[in-house]
């Protein structure tokens, strides 16, 4: 470093230090800044104190208004605005319903004889902390909100209670409850002597129902995907809010009979005798796993209300399991005379899939369950029954593939002159012509998948919703309705979760082995470019089981076990058919068919004829295009 450079650095340092010293505030300026900061702090504290005083004043004002209303014996419900909340319990062998005198509505529902995930003998569907139901009526001068009132219970038995809130001399609001023999409870609400408090044309009251849907099963994600706010249209049919997305105040344009806050296996349902009017607002907000709350549900509705008290507003409540047959029986106990379709709480799939589950799977499950068999055995027997029913079609499909396999050498010989890429159309035509002469349909090899897909989808929808599997153990599986972990850890891993399910691993491994078996069979019957294309498709065949692992690791062991057993029997059937098929005899039969067709030639029909026509049309278009290019 030379002398000039050193001199330059020194001058720069002197300038910086001098500038900093010059910009430094004087003692007077420092004192002024300190005073200004103090003034700002005092002002900020003053603003905060003013805010606190304003909030306290508003609270005191509200409390004063409430006290004045309580002291003013002419105020509506002056005696019902204060009190001490107590509980009334209605119970039978199936359910225990707790009603609170504060609000006069249900605050807790316990479903008996169903163990919860902690091992307790009963399931608590909800309690006062996460649920509220209130009725609101708009009067001429004031609004009546039942959740603000204290009710006096009377006529208390194990199955009945009358809740009364006194509004004034000769004026009162009355709720009557009657619990049925199992899960259905009837309730009526009416006023007495209060007709003058409402407008002459007032005939609808508001109903607001909220609930935090608690996790009841071990698998949070799996249960959450099968828990949904569900409602039934008065004209028939049900719908539900999306299970995974947030939906806030979704407007239901049609009138509805009932709304249900549904878990995977249990539901709380509210039914209105005179319907809930159109334009109800429904909310479903999925919650985080650590809260152990699946969703926050809200339903804001309107229903008929008679201010004169001559006709009560009537409701029915269902607090119980999502059991298809049970829901059908409970609906018959309803006094409203409506087609409520309560069994629709058990989701059976899309229309075609629902038909399979409704008229086949349900009846088979009912029959096998009545025999007292373990549910794991039931799943095995259902699989065997389905394989037996579909065996004739599977065999026919396999024989079609076998025919193509034994004809492969002849096809190779007949199409060897079409090796160029531009000759593939002619090659396909030659192959179709050969298949036709031997009476073989190449399309029937796809039939097994087409047969099995609706059944697989049907079981995919039925098994997770079958409450009969809940708590049932089989082999190493402690509960067929949830996953069976061989490894667990504390934090979720992306795409995997917090465990590894053994039945999911078995299902995916079986899927890979079955795919290998299927690919080998298809490879034996493919010719030329088809075999090359098959090699390109192999990676997709292996990728699917990997994708299934990430999807089904959260799913119930019962569903994974069914798929594993189904693949095992499918592989066994394919192996048996392969071992019992004599290729030489089959080829002889095809040769005889070939000679017969030579003597009595027949035109192609059905799908084969349509494919041939399409190929000829494409070939003709290519020929015309080539002619145009030459010109």
């Amino acid at each position: 470093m030379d002398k000039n450079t050193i001199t330059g650095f020194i001058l720069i340092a002197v300038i910086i230090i001098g500038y900093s010293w010059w910009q430094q505030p004087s003692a007077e300026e420092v004192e002024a800044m300190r005073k200004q900061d103090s003034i700002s702090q005092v002002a900020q504290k003053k603003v905060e104190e003013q805010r606190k005083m304003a909030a306290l004043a508003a609270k005191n004002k509200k409390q004063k208004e409430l006290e004045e209303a309580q002291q003013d014996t002419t105020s509506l419900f002056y005696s019902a605005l204060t009190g001490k909340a107590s509980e009334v319990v209605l119970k039978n062998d199936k359910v225990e319903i707790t009603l609170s005198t504060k609000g006069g509505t249900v605050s807790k529902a316990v479903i008996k004889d169903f163990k919860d995930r902690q091992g307790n003998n009963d399931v608590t569907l909800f309690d006062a902390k996460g649920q509220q139901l209130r009725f609101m009526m708009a009067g001429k001068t004031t609004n009546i909100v039942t959740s603000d009132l204290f009710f006096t219970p009377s006529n208390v038995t194990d199955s009945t209670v009358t809740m009364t809130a006194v509004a004034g001399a000769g004026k009162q609001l009355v709720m009557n409850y009657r619990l049925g023999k199992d899960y259905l409870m009837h309730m009526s609400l009416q006023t007495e002597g209060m007709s003058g408090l409402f407008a002459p044309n007032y005939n609808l009251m508001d109903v607001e129902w909220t609930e935090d849907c608690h996790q009841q099963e071990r698998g949070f994600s799996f249960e959450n995907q099968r828990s949904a706010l569900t409602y039934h249209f008065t004209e028939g049919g049900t719908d539900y809010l999306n299970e995974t997305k947030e939906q806030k105040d979704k407007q239901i344009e049609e009138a509805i009979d009932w709304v249900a806050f549904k878990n995977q296996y249990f539901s709380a349902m509210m039914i209105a005798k005179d319907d809930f009017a159109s334009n109800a607002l429904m909310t479903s907000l999925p919650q985080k796993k650590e809260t152990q709350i699946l969703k926050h549900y809200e339903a804001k509705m309107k229903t008929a209300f008679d201010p004169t008290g001559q006709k009560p507003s009537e409701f029915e409540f269902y607090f119980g399991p999502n059991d298809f047959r049970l829901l059908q029986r409970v609906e018959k106990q309803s006094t409203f005379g409506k087609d409520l379709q309560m069994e629709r709480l058990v989701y059976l799939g899309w229309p075609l899939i629902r038909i399979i589950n409704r008229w086949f799977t349900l009846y088979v499950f009912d029959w096998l369950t009545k025999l007292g068999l373990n549910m794991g055995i039931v799943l095995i027997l259902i699989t065997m029954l389905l394989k037996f029913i579909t065996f004739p079609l599977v065999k026919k499909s396999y024989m079609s593939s076998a025919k193509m396999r034994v004809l492969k050498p002849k096809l190779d010989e007949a199409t060897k002159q079409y090796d160029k890429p531009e000759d593939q159309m002619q090659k396909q035509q030659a192959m179709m012509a050969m298949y036709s002469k031997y009476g073989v349909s190449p399309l029937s090899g796809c039939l097994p998948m087409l047969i099995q897909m609706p059944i697989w989808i049907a079981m995919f929808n039925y098994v997770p919703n079958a409450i009969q599997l809940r708590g049932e153990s089989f082999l190493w599986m402690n509960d067929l309705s949830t996953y069976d972990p061989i490894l667990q850890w504390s934090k979720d891993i992306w795409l995997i979760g917090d465990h590894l399910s053994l039945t999911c691993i078995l299902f995916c491994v079986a899927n890979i082995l079955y795919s290998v078996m299927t690919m080998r069979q298809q490879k034996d019957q493919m010719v030329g470019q088809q075999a090359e294309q098959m090699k390109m498709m192999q990676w997709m065949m292996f990728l699917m089981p990997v994708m299934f692992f990430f999807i089904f690791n959260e799913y119930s062991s019962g569903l994974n076990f069914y798929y594993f057993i189904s693949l095992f029997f499918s592989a066994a059937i394919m192996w048996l058919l392969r071992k019992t098929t004599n290729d030489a005899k089959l080829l002889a039969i095809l040769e005889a068919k070939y000679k017969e067709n030579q003597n009595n030639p027949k035109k192609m029909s059905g799908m084969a004829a349509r494919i041939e026509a399409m190929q000829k049309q494409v070939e003709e278009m290519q020929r015309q295009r080539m002619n145009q290019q030459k010109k």
Side-chain angles (χ1 to χ4, degrees), residues 29 41 322 340 353 435 585 598:
E29 290 175 333
Q41 291 176 1
N322 301 329
L340 297 171
I353 304 304
Y435 284 139
K585 289 183 179 180
Q598 277 187 324

Side-chain angles (χ1 to χ4, degrees), residues 131-133 207-210 259 261 268-270 297-299:
Q131 189 268 357
Q132 185 182 58
L133 171 63
V207 181
E208 287 191 4
W209 190 21
T210 63
V259 60
F261 295 161
M269 177 191 291
M270 184 179 186
Y297 291 138
E298 291 182 10

Side-chain angles (χ1 to χ4, degrees), residues 195-457:
S195 59
L197 302 177
F198 301 95
N201 60 345
Y202 184 73
N203 59 4
L204 290 174
M205 68 175 173
D206 289 273
V207 181
E208 287 191 4
W209 190 21
T210 63
E211 180 188 323
D212 287 333
C213 181
H214 289 273
Q215 178 185 354
Q216 302 291 352
E217 315 305 323
R218 179 165 59 182
F220 180 89
S221 300
F222 188 65
E223 182 183 7
N224 209 355
Q225 292 169 9
R226 280 147 190 84
S227 302
L229 189 153
T230 307
Y231 45 90
H232 180 265
F233 298 111
T234 303
E235 299 299 324
T238 57
D239 202 354
Y240 55 91
L241 300 190
N242 189 285
E243 303 96 325
T244 58
K245 296 181 181 179
E246 289 191 1
Q247 291 186 273
K248 179 71 173 178
D249 288 339
K250 179 183 177 181
Q251 186 169 300
I252 312 302
E253 296 180 356
E254 302 176 44
I256 59 178
D257 287 314
W258 54 258
V259 60
F261 295 161
K262 177 181 178 293
N263 287 65
Q264 182 179 1
Y265 291 120
F266 304 96
S267 290
M269 177 191 291
M270 184 179 186
I271 310 165
K273 181 177 182 179
D274 297 310
D275 307 335
F276 292 114
S278 57
N279 299 321
L281 301 178
M282 304 293 176
T283 295
S284 175
L285 304 176
Q287 304 296 300
K288 294 182 179 180
K289 183 177 180 178
E290 54 268 22
T291 65
Q292 299 183 1
I293 295 173
L294 303 174
K295 295 179 176 71
H296 174 74
Y297 291 138
E298 291 182 10
K300 300 175 182 178
M301 306 165 288
K302 293 181 182 292
T303 191
F305 172 70
D306 181 8
T308 66
Q310 296 179 6
K311 180 182 178 182
S313 300
E314 295 185 65
F315 307 91
E316 286 175 337
F317 295 88
Y318 174 82
F319 304 110
N322 301 329
D323 185 320
F324 191 94
R325 299 302 186 194
L326 172 65
L327 288 162
Q328 286 182 319
R329 292 195 299 271
V330 169
E331 183 173 334
K332 294 178 181 178
Q333 301 171 21
S334 173
T335 60
F336 294 166
K338 292 175 147 188
D339 183 13
L340 297 171
Q341 297 180 304
M342 291 174 63
E343 72 277 4
R344 287 293 188 95
L345 276 178
V346 181
Y347 182 69
L348 298 180
W350 314 321
L352 174 61
I353 304 304
R354 179 178 177 81
I355 291 172
I356 297 173
N357 282 327
R358 175 67 179 85
W359 301 108
F360 174 78
T361 313
L362 268 169
Y363 282 97
V364 174
F365 252 82
D366 292 344
W367 173 54
L368 294 175
T369 303
K370 289 177 182 178
L371 297 177
L373 300 175
N374 181 278
M375 294 310 299
I377 301 296
V378 169
L379 289 173
I380 295 174
L381 292 176
I382 285 181
T383 308
M384 294 176 65
L385 178 61
L386 290 171
K387 295 302 178 184
F388 176 78
I389 292 173
T390 58
F391 179 76
L393 293 174
V394 171
K395 182 179 180 181
K396 183 178 180 181
S397 173
Y398 174 82
M399 293 308 297
S400 176
S401 299
K403 291 174 183 178
M404 295 170 67
R405 182 179 68 246
V406 298
L407 286 175
K408 184 176 183 294
K410 293 182 176 294
L411 286 170
D412 289 336
E413 182 66 24
T415 60
K416 63 181 180 180
Q417 67 271 30
Y418 304 116
D419 288 338
K420 296 179 180 179
E422 60 268 20
D423 296 334
Q424 291 305 307
M425 185 65 68
Q426 291 93 327
K427 186 172 186 177
Q428 289 291 331
Q429 290 178 354
M431 289 172 58
M432 293 301 295
M434 180 80 67
Y435 284 139
S436 179
K437 290 175 183 179
Y438 281 95
V440 175
S441 174
L443 297 177
S444 51
C446 303
L447 195 58
M449 184 60 69
L450 296 177
I451 295 169
Q452 293 184 53
M453 281 303 295
I455 296 173
W456 276 48
I457 297 173

Side-chain angles (χ1 to χ4, degrees), residues 467-607:
I467 196 171
Q468 294 87 348
L469 298 178
R470 189 178 187 272
E472 288 287 321
S473 61
F474 183 66
L475 299 178
W476 68 88
M477 296 166 281
N478 295 325
D479 187 348
L480 289 169
S481 69
T482 187
Y483 56 81
D484 55 325
I486 54 172
L487 286 176
Q488 285 186 288
W489 46 87
S490 58
K491 294 184 179 180
D492 284 353
I493 298 177
W494 183 62
L495 292 179
I496 297 178
D498 60 359
H499 67 275
L500 288 177
S501 172
L502 178 56
T503 50
C504 177
I505 294 173
L506 290 174
F507 161 50
C508 293
V509 171
N511 204 342
I512 292 173
L513 296 177
Y514 184 72
S515 298
V516 171
M517 180 184 294
T518 304
M519 284 188 293
R520 284 181 178 177
Q521 178 179 319
Q522 292 175 344
K523 183 179 180 181
D524 292 341
Q525 68 191 41
M526 291 186 174
V527 180
Q529 194 176 10
Q530 289 181 334
E532 295 299 323
Q533 291 174 347
M534 184 62 192
K535 292 179 181 179
M536 297 173 62
M537 294 294 293
Q538 286 181 358
W539 70 272
M540 294 184 63
M541 300 287 286
F542 288 111
L543 181 61
M544 293 225 14
V546 176
M547 293 174 60
F548 282 155
F549 169 75
F550 293 113
I551 296 172
F552 284 86
N553 191 48
E554 286 280 350
Y555 279 40
S556 67
S557 57
L559 183 63
N560 280 315
F561 180 70
Y562 164 76
Y563 284 151
F564 168 69
I565 293 297
S566 179
L567 285 169
F568 173 81
F569 281 115
S570 295
I573 290 171
M574 296 292 285
W575 179 85
L576 180 63
L577 289 172
R578 184 69 178 90
K579 288 297 181 181
T580 56
T581 301
N582 189 316
D583 287 1
K585 289 183 179 180
L586 182 59
L587 182 58
I589 294 172
L590 292 175
E591 291 289 359
K593 185 73 173 178
Y594 177 73
K595 292 179 180 179
E596 180 184 345
N597 289 338
Q598 277 187 324
N599 297 328
N600 299 290
K602 297 178 181 179
K603 292 184 177 180
M604 289 186 183
S605 61
M607 182 64 72

Side-chain angles (χ1 to χ4, degrees), residues 44 89 98 186 266 277-278 344 583 625:
Q44 185 175 357
V89 178
T98 302
H186 183 274
F266 304 96
S278 57
R344 287 293 188 95
D583 287 1
R625 190 180 299 113

